[in-house]
Amino acid sequence: MRLSRFFLYLVLIIFVLFYLMPVYVLVVTSFKSFKEISLRTMWIPPKEISFSSFVRAWYGDKSKGLRGLSGNFMNSVYLTVPATLISSILGSMNGYVLTKWKFKRANLVFALLLFGMFIPYQSILIPLVQVLQKTKLYGTIPGLILVHCVYGIPITTLIFRNYYSTIPSDIVEAAKIDGAGFVKIFVRVLLPLSGPAFAVTAIWQFTSIWNDFLFGLVVTPNPSVQPITVALNNLAGSYFVEWNVQMAGALITAFPTLIVYIFLGKLFMRGLLSGSLSGM
Amino acid sequence: MKTDRILSILFILPSFILVGIFIYGFIGWTGWVSMVNWRDVFPDFTFVGLRNYARLFQHFRFVISMKNTLVFTVLFLLSSISIGLLLAILLDRKVRFEGFFRTVYLFPMAVSFVVTGVVWRWILNPGTGGESVGLNWMLEKIGLGFLKSGWYTDPNIGIKAVVIAAVWQMSGYVMALYLAGIRSIPTELYEAAQLDGANVFQLYKHIVLPLLRPVTLSAVIILGHISLKIFDLVFAMTGSGIGFSCDVPALFMYDTTFRGNYFSQGAAIAVILLLCVAVLIVPYLTYSIRTEVRR
């Protein structure tokens, strides 16, 4: 029994090393100064801690034509915050109707919505670009906000629908008898109970919009408008950039969602599980 | 009462219209584009039927990318599911610091595929001039030098190197799914089995694993659809690779459409990709919604 416990922990620890290896490399490399960077020493900790990689990744280096990530970081903030809010609100409205005001064929509508969660976005990219160009939203942050709101509707609706179906319909019926109408029931009865669902949806949407790459790449060709994931890829793809700056850039890009994960891990997890349809 | 009905329709209408246009309308439009002769910056809507599809199946890059997707999907699903299940079972054996382990295994999920790609591109860098760097250096140091490889720069390995990064990112999620599944099994079942004299292995074989089948189904659906449409990870980590050894349809579609301006061909790839995903998802959605209605 002792021995099997030992192997159990051994396996778990080996996997910890596997999952943390990239983090180790990231941290060790990004705290090195340029003169310490060489592929041969990538696993060796820096001799002295230097923040110069972060400074270069953040502000860039005009003399070398290196764009910093600071502007793109802010682009991602301006994109992610409104898109998260709007898509969460739309999700709560849909969830309310789909659970408490079920109409004929409500399940069909729901299934059609859900399918939108799984489609490869390649199958809508060409018309998307055309429509955004026609409406002058192509290459702009509002354009990206619109895109993320629309393609976020399926998952936010799913989360709120699952949540609202756990709230007994008796409450709604009681409110109706008291003379409350459709809007009043939503605002006075459902919304005050919606905190947990909003938290889960917000975390899910924040993470996936922040981490998106495809829409940013296709919708915003102009580097000054691009979200940070696209900018990171450009940074890492340019020949003049040192590894330490790339790794610092990767850390900066991952930072907000990691913070969310560390501080709101339980809710993050719940978001993941509802995304898996396991709550259906 | 009637106004309430109207209001409820008004509530759902914006989403309904947006999804109708941006998902179903756009899919229809892509289908149309795939059957015209648009092969330049300027649209050309001359109908050519299925010609773009016929061309596609003769295109070596399409054939390679489809094969790669198949290899990627099989390896990615098998590894993620077996690692996820193993970790969930181990963590369920009353492990100390369980929270710590869970946090570590799951955190890659919070990171963008692009970040994963950039980091793993470096770790799997085979180095130049016979000098070992990255993972190769590490393998050499711990006496596993025979495992050294050119990773994504070796045309024979190519896409399999990308699988390592994808498993790193997603296997923790599978662990979370299984752990939630295991924890939802009523303890009476365990107790009954133990009263009947079942040992640990019998317990897992006859009670736990059969009850986890729906979780495996969800995992296959989630990982499967991610795998079929994988784009950002490959784009950031390797690009299409040497001799397109890392190429996938989503990347091929992007190159064809937005770098090559061959819109109709790109649309055809997109439609095939959509059909692949639909074959997986539609039966699953129909099934889950039906069983839910019956409940």
Side-chain angles (χ1 to χ4, degrees), chain A residues 72-239:
Chain A
N72 305 100
F73 187 94
M74 290 321 289
N75 288 345
S76 280
V77 172
Y78 298 141
L79 159 69
T80 309
V81 172
T84 300
L85 270 177
I86 299 170
S87 59
S88 304
I89 292 167
L90 285 174
S92 71
M93 290 160 61
N94 296 340
Y96 173 51
V97 175
L98 285 172
T99 53
K100 306 299 175 211
W101 297 84
K102 273 204 166 187
F103 47 93
K104 249 190 184 180
R105 307 252 166 244
N107 282 319
L108 178 70
V109 169
F110 181 56
L112 287 171
L113 265 182
L114 275 192
F115 182 61
M117 201 162 93
F118 294 101
I119 59 160
Y121 292 130
Q122 279 75 16
S123 62
I124 49 90
L125 276 186
I126 295 172
L128 179 71
V129 169
Q130 283 185 286
V131 166
L132 290 178
Q133 279 169 340
K134 283 261 154 61
T135 50
K136 305 268 180 256
L137 286 168
Y138 183 70
T140 66
I141 292 177
L144 268 183
I145 293 176
L146 172 73
V147 169
H148 282 295
C149 287
V150 173
Y151 296 107
I153 289 174
I155 180 75
T156 57
T157 305
L158 171 70
I159 296 173
F160 274 101
R161 181 180 172 278
N162 286 347
Y163 181 74
Y164 286 150
S165 58
T166 64
I167 293 176
S169 295
D170 301 353
I171 299 183
V172 176
E173 295 306 319
K176 272 187 205 166
I177 291 166
D178 289 345
F182 175 83
V183 177
K184 206 169 187 184
I185 297 174
F186 183 60
V187 177
R188 293 277 175 81
V189 181
L190 266 288
L191 278 188
L193 296 170
S194 303
F198 268 106
V200 169
T201 319
I203 286 166
W204 177 264
Q205 282 298 87
F206 181 86
T207 317
S208 46
I209 298 171
W210 187 277
N211 287 344
D212 163 71
F213 177 68
L214 180 66
F215 286 131
L217 182 72
V218 174
V219 171
T220 52
N222 179 355
S224 64
V225 186
Q226 281 166 350
I228 193 162
T229 48
V230 182
L232 170 71
N233 187 64
N234 295 344
L235 182 78
S238 84
Y239 283 103

Side-chain angles (χ1 to χ4, degrees), chain B residues 82-150:
Chain B
S82 43
I83 291 176
L85 181 61
L86 173 74
L87 292 178
I89 289 178
L90 292 183
L91 280 187
D92 192 50
R93 313 270 339 135
K94 301 208 169 54
V95 167
R96 268 210 210 184
F97 311 115
E98 188 202 313
F100 165 76
F101 287 115
R102 252 188 301 142
T103 309
V104 170
Y105 299 155
L106 197 60
F107 91 88
M109 259 309 279
V111 171
S112 169
F113 265 125
V114 175
V115 174
T116 305
V118 169
V119 178
W120 279 92
R121 181 169 66 194
W122 199 22
I123 296 176
L124 296 181
N125 190 321
T128 47
E131 204 170 15
S132 295
V133 299
L135 188 62
N136 283 348
W137 183 88
M138 189 66 121
L139 289 170
E140 215 167 57
K141 287 286 158 188
I142 55 174
L144 295 171
F146 60 92
L147 287 175
K148 281 197 328 187
S149 136

